[in-house]
Amino acid sequence: MFQSFDTKMIVNTKFLFFTGKGGVGKTSTACATAVTLADEGKKVLLVSTDPASNLQDVLEVGLTNTPMAIQNVPNLYACNLDPEEAARAYRDKIIGPYRGKLPDAVVANMEEQLSGACTIEIAAFDEFTNLLADPSVVEAYEHIIFDTAPTGHTLRLLQLPTAWSGFLEENTHGASCLGPLSGLSEKKQIYSITMDALSDSIKTTMILVSRPDESSLLEANRASKELKEIGITNQALIINGLLKSYMPEDKISSSFYGRQRKAIKQMPEDLKQIVRYSLPFVSYSLTGIQNLRYLFKQYTMPPKQSEVNGQPIISLPSLNKVIEDFSNNNTRVIFTMGKGGVGKTTMASAIAVGLVEKGHKVHLTTTDPAAHLEFVFQNSELNDKLSISRINPVEEVEAYKAEVLSKVSAELDDEAIAYIQEDLNSPCTEEIAVFRAFAEVVARSQNEIVVIDTAPTGHTLLLLDAAQSYHKELARSTGEIPESVKMLLPRLRNPKETSVVIVTLAEATPVLEASRLQDDLKRAEITPKWWIINQSLYATETKDPILKGKAVAEVGWIQKITTELAEKSAIVPLMSGTVAVGTLLSLGKAKTLGEAEEMAKAARPKVNVKPQMKEALQRIFPNA
């Protein structure tokens, strides 16, 4: 389908940047590339700037921010830059002069303004710029490989002249991530040199890494277009984790294979214009030098039977227990949170219909236009108890941007407006815009349980809270906060009324990022009650040797979640068909996945849905 990834075919520049959404395999791919190049006799420096980096785990060696030689791989050196530590130092440098001179509330808000993902990314950029600007480092290596690249949004910010002016100190506008650049003016020349190197196709290759699934490919497509817009055109795409074959008699194996092929067939047209490579779905853990060498040789290697038999038996409750807990405690607002692609929408839908089955009146709202809502058609009696709305993130963001710009456009020149427009492309802007729409839905639904697919991070909540509490005294306000948002923030902090469910996969990056998300929420005084381990191969009965090996690799992450991270946890197996929601609800009553699927199908009576309900649902969810 795609040519196998081969360093001899693609690596012809000094700088290599690996980018992609969390969990796609950037670190393992970057490490395998570094090891392969070093084995070919080239001197290589591998650098991680990922805040959720597991570079040390992959290489099985302790790392610092100073390059060190890697044992058993002559010519390979590595360092692990800590962008979160850099961001802390960066905040202290900017805010330090104001401590004791401004009210504590103002200082606290300044700190929060510089605590978001954008600041961490800018700090990471600052760290690797220090390497790229040091001739002694650049000249010492034939290749320098970066695990995690800056986004096009961050790079565009750095290109705008206003980013380097005193504008940040003097103006107010809507809540976003404006502010991360305010302490970098002295580095303008160094950053300019770095930007030139990034856009030079003779010096730099940008390698987009994606899984063969819809959300990963859409993110890779977005990143590719953003980077092209600023002149970074030397790109390649790696489809990582491609299942080479399947067992027709194994429902999990055949379904997994089919879903991957369908996602690839529907790949965005822009990505099809980029040279594409593939790496196989492997059963073994991609840690240790030897396993990294196996990857580019396309080895899949099923696990030894002793490894399978030696794993502990983990027994976790099903999704039904989560639903029972919310029902018994009369939880009124339920958020599902997690990184893209982990199944938040499916979990929110299943929780909503499960609560309806227990007699509750429920309103489900989502940002996903293709949510799977087969359960809505199970019984016409349920329609009076379940209402559904869809929030369009694109429309909400555009409306929010227009509102912000209308307040400042008369006061600013074109350069400053261009800066604000780019700043409003930050992740925080979408969170705030969508959250405001969610708040309005909750405000209209006082007599229903409200289940919300996707929620804002703790950072965004604290920004909104700061604007609500301190806007009269702030030099840089985050704008007017609607009454619906003001009322919802206290509700979110009330565990008797609101519960946050973190959805994750039993893999390194999703778990590490979910852990950071939980820490972020705790800063905002919100503690998630349940973690749901979704799409688990460990919880299936697959006989496919490759998938079975992956199931074994999940065990360590499941144990970390249950013993270290989650107050309560449940597990949901990878589904083999399209009856996902009904099957989820049957899992607590059946002994096997197959039995649960049959139970879900049998439980669906053939009745007609009220025409007006069906018409409304099809407008909201075209694929339902």
Side-chain angles (χ1 to χ4, degrees):
M1 179 173 284
F2 300 107
Q3 55 188 323
S4 298
F5 182 72
D6 185 346
T7 54
K8 292 184 177 66
M9 297 175 64
I10 190 174
V11 179
N12 50 25
T13 60
K14 177 179 280 286
F15 305 123
L16 300 170
F17 285 86
F18 287 79
T19 187
K21 66 180 293 186
V24 295
K26 293 188 299 291
T27 299
S28 55
T29 306
C31 288
T33 301
V35 169
T36 301
L37 291 172
D39 286 346
E40 292 171 0
K42 298 173 180 177
K43 191 174 181 182
V44 179
L45 174 62
L46 174 61
V47 182
S48 175
T49 58
D50 189 343
S53 174
N54 57 337
L55 184 63
Q56 298 178 129
D57 299 325
V58 173
L59 295 176
E60 295 183 330
V61 62
L63 296 172
T64 66
N65 60 356
T66 302
M68 61 173 287
I70 303 301
Q71 289 186 353
N72 303 319
V73 191
N75 303 313
L76 179 58
Y77 298 79
C79 60
N80 196 13
L81 305 180
D82 185 346
E84 290 188 324
E85 179 57 41
R88 280 192 289 272
Y90 178 51
R91 283 195 297 273
D92 288 343
K93 175 184 174 183
I94 294 173
I95 298 171
Y98 299 103
R99 296 187 191 279
K101 297 178 182 178
L102 294 178
D104 291 345
V106 175
V107 172
N109 189 65
M110 291 172 67
E111 288 178 331
E112 193 53 50
Q113 287 279 353
L114 294 170
S115 293
C118 293
T119 301
I120 292 175
E121 191 173 322
I122 291 289
F125 185 85
D126 187 42
E127 287 287 288
F128 77 70
T129 294
N130 292 336
L131 287 176
L132 292 182
D134 186 341
S136 64
V137 173
V138 173
E139 293 168 8
Y141 301 94
E142 290 178 73
H143 297 289
I144 300 179
I145 298 175
F146 292 95
D147 166 27
T148 298
T151 65
H153 163 62
T154 293
L155 296 177
R156 283 198 306 270
L157 275 179
L158 291 166
Q159 286 184 324
L160 291 167
T162 303
W164 308 97
S165 74
F167 166 75
L168 299 171
E169 305 292 335
E170 301 163 5
N171 288 275
T172 67
H173 69 290
S176 67
C177 281
L178 190 66
L181 300 175
S182 54
L184 301 179
S185 57
E186 72 276 10
K187 295 193 174 184
K188 184 177 180 180
Q189 185 175 359
I190 294 176
Y191 277 28
S192 178
I193 293 170
T194 302
M195 296 290 288
D196 289 343
L198 284 171
S199 58
D200 187 340
S201 59
I202 296 175
K203 295 180 180 178
T204 299
T205 303
M206 193 70 63
I207 300 176
L208 308 163
V209 185
S210 174
R211 294 284 187 184
D213 62 59
E214 182 183 13
S215 62
S216 294
L217 288 167
L218 288 174
E219 174 66 17
N221 187 59
R222 183 198 62 75
S224 174
K225 290 197 291 186
E226 278 194 350
L227 293 167
K228 285 179 180 177
E229 286 173 3
I230 54 175
I232 302 177
T233 58
N234 189 14
Q235 301 177 7
L237 174 67
I238 296 176
I239 304 293
N240 187 32
L242 192 63
L243 194 64
K244 289 184 172 181
S245 60
Y246 67 98
M247 295 175 63
E249 67 277 13
D250 187 310
K251 293 171 69 176
I252 298 295
S253 176
S254 58
S255 175
F256 190 81
Y257 180 89
R259 283 200 295 268
Q260 287 195 344
R261 263 53 189 181
K262 181 180 178 181
I264 290 171
K265 187 177 180 179
Q266 297 174 344
M267 179 187 297
E269 288 299 319
D270 289 343
L271 283 186
K272 293 178 182 178
Q273 311 309 313
I274 302 173
V275 60
R276 302 181 302 280
Y277 303 89
S278 70
L279 287 170
F281 186 95
V282 299
S283 61
Y284 52 88
S285 175
L286 284 169
T287 58
I289 300 302
Q290 194 56 52
N291 282 357
L292 292 172
R293 286 177 171 137
Y294 289 153
L295 179 62
F296 285 3
K297 295 177 181 178
Q298 304 287 310
Y299 292 172
T300 54
M301 297 189 308
K304 299 174 183 176
Q305 195 58 43
S306 59
E307 293 176 352
V308 177
N309 296 337
Q311 293 296 325
I313 297 175
I314 302 174
S315 179
L316 291 178
S318 69
L319 188 63
N320 280 286
K321 294 297 181 183
V322 181
I323 295 166
E324 286 176 9
D325 182 51
F326 292 150
S327 178
N328 294 339
N329 289 294
N330 196 29
T331 305
R332 306 309 298 168
V333 181
I334 300 165
F335 285 96
T336 56
M337 297 186 67
K339 294 299 179 182
V342 297
K344 297 187 298 295
T345 301
T346 301
M347 294 300 102
S349 302
I351 290 169
V353 75
L355 289 168
V356 167
E357 287 191 343
K358 291 186 176 297
H360 299 279
K361 192 173 183 180
V362 179
H363 182 82
L364 168 66
T365 185
T366 178
T367 57
D368 187 347
H372 300 294
L373 295 178
E374 293 90 352
F375 64 86
V376 174
F377 303 97
Q378 287 183 24
N379 189 320
S380 59
E381 294 179 1
L382 297 186
N383 294 332
D384 294 331
K385 295 180 180 178
L386 178 63
S387 58
I388 303 166
S389 63
R390 176 190 169 243
I391 292 169
N392 187 319
V394 175
E395 293 176 1
E396 296 297 337
V397 169
E398 289 308 310
Y400 180 73
K401 287 180 180 179
E403 178 185 331
V404 170
L405 289 170
S406 69
K407 295 177 182 178
V408 299
S409 57
E411 308 167 13
L412 305 176
D413 59 23
D414 290 344
E415 272 190 13
I417 290 174
Y419 183 87
I420 291 179
Q421 286 176 325
E422 181 52 50
D423 184 64
L424 286 170
N425 288 325
S426 75
C428 286
T429 298
E430 180 170 325
E431 280 192 3
I432 289 169
V434 171
F435 184 58
R436 297 200 322 173
F438 279 146
E440 291 170 10
V441 171
V442 174
R444 295 198 312 263
S445 306
Q446 294 294 322
N447 299 318
E448 300 171 303
I449 294 176
V450 180
V451 180
I452 301 176
D453 163 34
T454 302
T457 64
H459 167 62
T460 299
L461 292 173
L462 286 169
L463 277 181
L464 289 167
D465 196 21
Q468 172 192 332
S469 304
Y470 311 128
H471 68 277
K472 290 183 180 179
E473 25 177 340
L474 294 183
R476 183 172 61 248
S477 170
T478 52
E480 296 179 7
I481 305 301
E483 191 64 26
S484 57
V485 173
K486 293 180 182 180
M487 293 179 65
L488 185 54
L489 284 168
R491 293 183 70 182
L492 290 177
R493 290 188 168 118
N494 181 359
K496 293 181 179 179
E497 189 173 8
T498 300
S499 188
V500 171
V501 177
I502 288 185
V503 184
T504 187
L505 309 179
E507 299 175 9
T509 300
V511 171
L512 292 172
E513 292 191 350
S515 176
R516 292 178 62 234
L517 176 62
Q518 178 165 263
D519 291 341
D520 192 25
L521 288 168
K522 286 181 177 179
R523 287 195 306 115
E525 300 175 31
I526 298 170
T527 300
K529 186 174 184 180
W530 281 95
W531 280 51
I532 295 176
I533 303 166
N534 193 28
Q535 302 176 29
S536 171
L537 283 164
Y538 178 83
T540 70
E541 299 172 324
T542 181
K543 300 296 189 295
D544 185 303
I546 304 302
L547 297 184
K548 195 71 176 177
K550 198 67 173 179
V552 171
E554 288 184 3
V555 172
W557 295 107
I558 294 173
Q559 289 179 318
K560 182 177 181 64
I561 291 168
T562 55
T563 60
E564 299 178 27
L565 299 174
E567 180 181 333
K568 293 184 178 182
S569 53
I571 195 165
V572 174
L574 182 73
M575 294 296 154
S576 63
T578 58
V579 293
V581 173
T583 304
L584 289 170
L585 297 171
S586 299
L587 279 169
K589 308 165 189 174
K591 294 181 180 178
T592 68
L593 178 59
E595 185 181 334
E597 289 178 331
E598 293 304 315
M599 189 180 295
K601 292 176 184 177
R604 183 178 300 172
K606 296 179 180 179
V607 299
N608 292 323
V609 178
K610 294 176 182 178
Q612 65 271 29
M613 183 65 175
K614 186 171 184 177
E615 183 182 348
L617 287 168
Q618 288 178 336
R619 284 200 305 269
I620 298 169
F621 301 100
N623 296 338

